[in-house]
Amino acid sequence: MKIYGEPYQTIWQLDETTIQVIDQRVLPFRFKIFDLKTAKDVHHAIHDMVVRGAPLIGVAASYGMYLAMVHAKNNDNWKEELRNAGNYLKSARPTAVNLAYAVDQQLYKLVGTDDYEQAKNLSLEVANNLRTKEIENCRLIGEHGFPLIEKIARKKQGKPVNILTHCNAGWLACIDYGTATAPIYNAYDKGIKVHVWVDETRPRNQGARLTAWELQQHGVPHTVIPDNTGGLLMQKGMVDMVIVGSDRTSARGDVANKIGTYLKALAAKENNLPFYVALPLSSIDRNIYDGVNEIPIEQRSENEIRYIEGYDEGQIRKVRITPAKSPVANYGFDVTPADYVKALITEKGLCKPDETEIKKLFGDEGK
């Protein structure tokens, strides 16, 4: 995608010891590059949301394992150091399954290699391959999701297709294209009139700050709305479809996504609107069946609720918006049961949110 007309992706290698990412904490007010030089840097970047979004978190973690190899001692203990780094990186955020997937992939690929230099080189190759794969996954999600928008556009005879999305499942959450936004960008680039309702997505406002910014950069018509506006818009016939991303999806199709997603699914169901989830297969956790009860829900800092951040006279400032002594609960995600999901949009095509259908996506792996 492009930033001020220049092509960018969200993560790249600068040199042998440095990985660079876009610092999402300061968007849209500033554009800043953040250097990752150690596994500790990567843990910080994931935990503090310098990087966020399931696919990007996974790729960042994979590069974190490579950086752990860069700094590991060339002795008999480097495998133990790598395992310790993996456990440390996994602790950064509990909900997104891509994090554990990427770490485990590194460990699996390197376990059979005894030579340190070979293992270090292989670790970088694994991270680069995952990055390339996630980019292609998102491109394909865009291809498979495009006909859903095209079909509605035909029915509307040239009027804009109104799409509601929640949080940021755009290219900033991935490496390029995005998940939920990939079909939107595809449709827009092919000349279909689209308009995106962008939930602000409290408390960190990823919709208002990130989704709106990247849609603006690409020229896609959009409108930022308060989180609780979607139901009204659906009642008034101002929404044609909902597309969201996923941080973890269970084996039967229950979808964990940013808090507030479940409410959008309920409203869509009530108003007979299709609710789609766009995700790569790496976001499906086949070790969890009952997503509602088994997917861990991250509880984040109370200060994300107590304070709101904005841009004031050239400075990014925080102001408190709650009584000082009021207790706060900050659940980062909720789970939408599979019954509320029309279809999953994956790199291998559309899929019903059903255990049998999901298994088919994985071929022999899913048996």
Side-chain angles (χ1 to χ4, degrees):
M1 308 305 291
K2 291 184 177 181
I3 298 175
Y4 308 121
E6 294 293 325
Y8 271 91
Q9 294 172 340
T10 54
I11 187 168
W12 62 91
Q13 184 181 13
L14 177 65
D15 54 42
E16 186 178 354
T17 61
T18 307
I19 305 299
Q20 291 189 315
V21 296
I22 296 171
D23 188 344
Q24 299 188 32
R25 298 170 303 176
V26 296
L27 288 174
F29 314 121
R30 297 173 186 160
F31 179 68
K32 180 181 176 183
I33 304 301
F34 191 91
D35 288 349
L36 307 174
K37 291 182 175 292
T38 65
K40 185 176 181 179
D41 290 343
V42 175
H43 182 282
H44 165 72
I46 294 172
H47 183 269
D48 285 12
M49 296 177 75
V50 175
V51 298
R52 31 134 325 271
L56 177 56
I57 285 173
V59 173
S62 192
Y63 279 116
M65 294 293 278
Y66 163 70
L67 292 172
M69 285 296 298
V70 169
H71 295 282
K73 296 177 182 178
N74 188 358
N75 57 35
D76 294 338
N77 294 325
W78 67 262
K79 287 188 178 182
E80 182 178 352
E81 290 184 36
L82 188 65
R83 283 191 291 269
N84 290 339
N87 290 332
Y88 175 60
L89 287 168
K90 284 182 180 181
S91 71
R93 296 192 71 185
T95 301
V97 71
N98 300 61
L99 174 54
Y101 168 84
V103 168
D104 290 342
Q105 183 191 48
Q106 282 274 4
L107 293 172
Y108 175 77
K109 294 284 188 179
L110 301 186
V111 69
T113 305
D114 292 324
D115 182 82
Y116 168 78
E117 286 296 332
Q118 286 184 354
K120 184 177 72 172
N121 293 335
L122 178 58
S123 180
L124 178 59
E125 181 181 331
V126 170
N128 285 336
N129 287 344
L130 180 60
R131 177 179 178 274
T132 299
K133 184 174 184 292
E134 291 292 15
I135 292 171
E136 178 63 6
N137 287 344
C138 288
R139 187 189 71 79
L140 291 171
I141 287 170
E143 292 291 332
H144 294 304
F146 166 73
L148 301 174
I149 300 175
E150 184 183 39
K151 183 178 179 180
I152 295 174
R154 287 201 193 102
K155 289 182 179 179
K156 297 193 73 173
Q157 298 181 338
K159 293 180 180 178
V161 178
N162 289 299
I163 305 164
L164 187 141
T165 191
H166 189 70
C167 197
N168 174 259
W171 74 270
L172 288 169
C174 305
I175 295 88
D176 214 339
Y177 300 104
T179 53
T181 58
I184 297 171
Y185 288 129
N186 197 320
Y188 176 80
D189 289 345
K190 291 179 178 177
I192 290 179
K193 292 181 180 179
V194 295
H195 169 263
V196 185
W197 294 110
V198 180
D199 282 351
E200 62 181 347
T201 322
R202 284 280 295 143
R204 293 186 68 98
N205 294 318
Q206 294 102 317
R209 292 180 61 165
L210 303 179
T211 303
W213 182 76
E214 67 169 77
L215 290 173
Q216 183 185 67
Q217 291 293 319
H218 202 73
V220 179
H222 63 280
T223 304
V224 178
I225 55 173
D227 282 354
N228 293 325
T229 306
L232 171 67
L233 297 177
M234 294 182 203
Q235 276 185 333
K236 299 296 184 182
M238 299 169 70
V239 177
D240 297 304
M241 64 194 303
V242 181
I243 310 178
V244 301
S246 171
D247 286 83
R248 184 182 301 210
T249 292
S250 74
R252 71 177 183 186
D254 303 319
V255 176
N257 195 50
K258 181 66 180 179
I259 193 74
T261 302
Y262 178 38
L263 296 178
K264 300 303 178 294
L266 290 172
K269 186 84 168 180
E270 175 67 20
N271 290 280
N272 297 312
L273 291 170
F275 182 94
Y276 296 105
V277 178
L279 75 167
L281 296 187
S282 58
S283 293
I284 297 176
D285 187 347
R286 287 172 289 161
N287 295 316
I288 287 180
Y289 178 75
D290 180 358
V292 174
N293 293 302
E294 295 181 50
I295 292 177
I297 300 299
E298 177 182 0
Q299 295 193 51
R300 296 186 56 79
S301 168
E302 295 177 354
N303 286 337
E304 290 184 350
I305 304 294
R306 288 198 173 106
Y307 294 85
I308 193 165
E309 188 176 74
Y311 195 68
D312 177 42
E313 295 182 352
Q315 297 293 322
I316 299 175
R317 304 184 190 277
K318 288 183 179 180
V319 294
R320 182 161 54 82
I321 59 172
T322 67
K325 295 184 179 181
S326 290
V328 169
N330 185 13
Y331 295 93
F333 300 86
D334 57 28
V335 181
T336 299
D339 289 345
Y340 293 89
V341 179
K342 176 75 171 177
L344 306 176
I345 310 171
T346 79
E347 69 267 31
K348 290 190 176 181
L350 300 185
C351 171
K352 293 180 180 179
D354 170 84
E355 183 181 21
T356 300
E357 296 301 312
I358 289 172
K359 279 185 175 182
K360 291 178 182 177
L361 290 178
F362 289 92
D364 292 337
E365 285 185 64
K367 292 181 180 179

